[in-house]
Amino acid sequence: MPHDMMADPAARHPLASRKSAGLTGRIAVPGDKSISHRSLMLGATAIGETVITGLLEAQDIIHSAQAMAAFGAHVERHRDGTWHVTGIGTGGYQDPVGPVDFGNSGTGVRLAAGLIATTPVAVTLTGDQSLQKRPMGRIIAPLEQMGARFEATGDGRLPMKVTGAGDAVPISYRLPVASAQVKSAVLLAGLNAPGITEVIEPVATRDHTERMLEAFGASLRVSERDGARRIAIEGHKELTATDIQVPGDPSSAAFAIVAALITDGSDVTVRDVMLNPTRTGLIDTLLEMGADIEIANRRVSGGEEIGDITARTSALKGVTVPAERAASMIDEYPVLSVAAAFASGRTRMEGLNELRVKESDRLAAIAAGLAANGVDHKTGPDWLEVTGGANTIGGGEVVTHMDHRIAMSFLVMGLAAHEPVAVDDASMIATSFPDFAGLMRGLGADIAEQDSWR
Ligand code: S3P
């Protein structure tokens, strides 16, 4: 396993950005994070060798790769950049030696907990300081019903000891929160439960787990009743290894797209971006705001629609983003808030309660970042209003609270703001988009260590 991909978590890394001339060029962003986690986990469970092309090589994913190896799968990176995973079969996981650490990744730990919950392994799962604050009760509740036992810290936090069920019980579970992680944990647990395990989701969330389970030959049925999606999986079936091509991550492309929209004289194309409709809420919103965005070359690759997205400098206007759209752009609110700061009028975002339990309390972190940079805004328990258009914003130092998306979003703000914008710690960007600064600089973005400008 390549340890050189893991940065030193103790090293704080301040970074700043400042007003840049037009951003221009054509880039590809790294592979989708959600699909990368799932390809390693299903590969580790399947019979045979899964070859993954375009895997996101970022800390969150390396933690998942290491975890799958700890549970007994063979995981290897070849020199051509492909990842080869030889799985151990449904129910084949072994007891790891020592705790398994998922770093900053909620997706990694929650999906892995589901995967092992119906196999009799005993393991302690843990993560970094940010992940230790995030709620695990949402997966503990259904997985306990399936027979797993959990000894969590405090009110359902990491570190937590998991003892998988030797005699698992299938369940029908209605999601109390719109969460693809919880849905996925239950479906993955269902792989090694007898009979049919069902998840009912009143609000559709990203469907990568369902798509990939089908690609690996799982017996899955998706239907809709009374406006809710029902996903049923039949357990005790072996998965068959299948090759995966990971498309570009729309959540990473979002930073270059918004940067181009708000920076004068910009014309940027991000190619091969995944356009799965459960992930494109930001694009829909930006188009409503008047963004000059074009999508070309739409095609299907690896079971997902992809395309090339071009964004040019635009006069944005404020809009209301309805709560129903939140699931399809849940990770994009930080960067949408930055776009809103440059839009004329008011942008209101509703249904943001889940932002409170992300890598940071994102609603609070966004609000503090906007305040530090003089952007007019208001927040409530689950909403945010940003009044944009002023040309004097910037000049603030943003506290990132170990949240990669807060760091990248406010670095994007600095590219178009009147005054530079600094972030106290950009090191967490390595969890999802290690070459963010390099790629943005390649487009003409002025992002640097603050001291280098003095
Ligand atoms: C993810 C689901 C979302 C998202 C996260 C990735 C996934 O989390 O925020 O970045 O890959 O399933 P929730 O399920 O908590 O909404």
Side-chain angles (χ1 to χ4, degrees):
M1 199 64 56
H3 282 282
D4 54 342
M5 287 178 190
M6 306 295 255
D8 173 5
R12 209 172 65 91
H13 181 204
L15 213 55
S17 59
R18 65 178 172 181
K19 201 169 180 67
S20 302
L23 306 178
T24 52
R26 215 178 140 76
I27 56 168
V29 289
D32 185 67
K33 185 148 70 75
S34 294
I35 292 187
S36 294
H37 280 297
R38 288 159 172 82
S39 61
L40 290 165
M41 292 187 192
L42 294 193
T45 311
I47 301 289
E49 187 187 66
T50 290
V51 180
I52 310 166
T53 309
L55 186 86
L56 169 63
E57 293 183 337
Q59 287 174 13
D60 278 9
I61 301 304
I62 303 304
H63 280 292
S64 280
Q66 289 172 338
M68 292 306 107
F71 287 116
H74 185 76
V75 184
E76 199 180 301
R77 182 187 194 273
H78 285 199
R79 288 172 104 142
D80 64 359
T82 57
W83 285 70
H84 295 240
V85 184
T86 306
I88 45 212
T90 301
Y93 310 119
Q94 297 155 16
D95 276 350
V97 182
V100 176
D101 185 347
F102 286 88
N104 193 247
S105 180
T107 308
V109 75
R110 294 194 180 110
L111 268 59
L115 208 53
I116 59 166
T118 47
T119 301
V121 292
V123 59
T124 297
L125 306 181
T126 191
D128 70 11
Q129 280 172 28
S130 154
L131 193 53
Q132 287 185 20
K133 289 189 196 144
R134 298 180 65 186
M136 294 298 137
R138 52 182 56 200
I139 54 153
I140 293 175
L143 297 176
E144 270 182 347
Q145 288 177 26
M146 297 182 81
R149 283 188 290 116
F150 291 85
E151 287 164 51
T153 303
D155 59 343
R157 313 278 152 172
L158 299 178
M160 98 185 153
K161 190 173 171 206
V162 186
T163 309
D167 208 356
V169 185
I171 58 169
S172 173
Y173 191 68
R174 192 180 176 89
L175 293 181
V177 282
S179 165
Q181 294 177 4
V182 178
K183 168 176 68 177
S184 302
V186 176
L187 291 175
L188 294 175
L191 278 173
N192 200 35
I196 307 282
T197 295
E198 182 186 52
V199 178
I200 302 164
E201 56 171 6
V203 177
T205 63
R206 64 190 70 195
D207 61 357
H208 308 304
T209 301
E210 297 93 300
R211 286 176 187 241
M212 204 180 287
L213 278 168
E214 275 181 330
F216 276 78
S219 184
L220 204 80
R221 207 180 54 238
V222 182
S223 58
E224 223 177 288
R225 205 189 311 158
D226 304 328
R229 268 181 98 234
R230 290 169 180 260
I231 308 109
I233 185 164
E234 191 181 337
H236 288 171
K237 287 257 167 99
E238 288 294 0
L239 300 182
T240 310
T242 187
D243 293 349
I244 300 286
Q245 266 194 316
V246 184
D249 194 328
S251 300
S252 297
F255 300 108
I257 291 167
V258 169
L261 296 177
I262 63 175
T263 307
D264 282 342
S266 297
D267 187 340
V268 168
T269 298
V270 189
R271 60 178 170 81
D272 306 335
V273 182
M274 182 173 57
L275 297 170
N276 178 314
T278 62
R279 298 284 299 279
T280 48
L282 175 73
I283 299 292
D284 299 340
T285 304
L286 292 171
L287 287 169
E288 284 179 13
M289 294 172 83
D292 182 354
I293 290 179
E294 269 173 53
I295 304 181
N297 203 10
R298 281 184 187 264
R299 60 213 186 272
V300 173
S301 166
E304 293 282 1
E305 193 180 335
I306 64 170
D308 304 338
I309 304 180
T310 298
R312 301 184 188 91
T313 313
S314 304
L316 301 175
K317 59 178 195 312
V319 294
T320 294
V321 190
E324 306 84 76
R325 202 179 292 161
S328 68
M329 53 179 295
I330 193 66
D331 292 336
E332 280 65 78
Y333 285 101
V335 80
L336 175 65
S337 306
V338 169
F342 292 91
S344 59
R346 201 182 67 178
T347 297
R348 183 176 165 88
M349 303 163 224
E350 295 172 348
L352 305 187
N353 37 315
E354 278 295 298
L355 292 197
R356 299 278 183 198
V357 290
K358 293 295 177 190
E359 286 83 331
S360 65
D361 174 345
R362 269 191 189 152
L363 197 41
I366 293 169
L370 294 173
N373 288 290
V375 180
D376 188 7
H377 67 285
K378 283 189 199 145
T379 48
D382 65 348
W383 57 266
L384 170 65
E385 264 178 29
V386 180
T387 304
N391 62 3
T392 53
I393 62 172
E397 192 191 55
V398 176
V399 182
T400 58
H401 298 283
M402 299 183 78
D403 189 329
H404 54 135
R405 297 199 201 280
I406 296 297
M408 290 185 276
S409 298
F410 282 95
L411 288 170
V412 166
M413 174 180 271
L415 303 177
H418 195 66
E419 298 292 331
V421 174
V423 299
D424 68 329
D425 181 15
S427 61
M428 299 315 282
I429 292 174
T431 62
S432 72
F433 195 171
D435 197 26
F436 165 77
L439 271 176
M440 295 300 292
R441 282 186 199 117
L443 295 171
D446 198 345
I447 299 179
E449 319 292 327
Q450 237 179 331
D451 289 348
S452 67
W453 293 337
R454 290 199 179 118

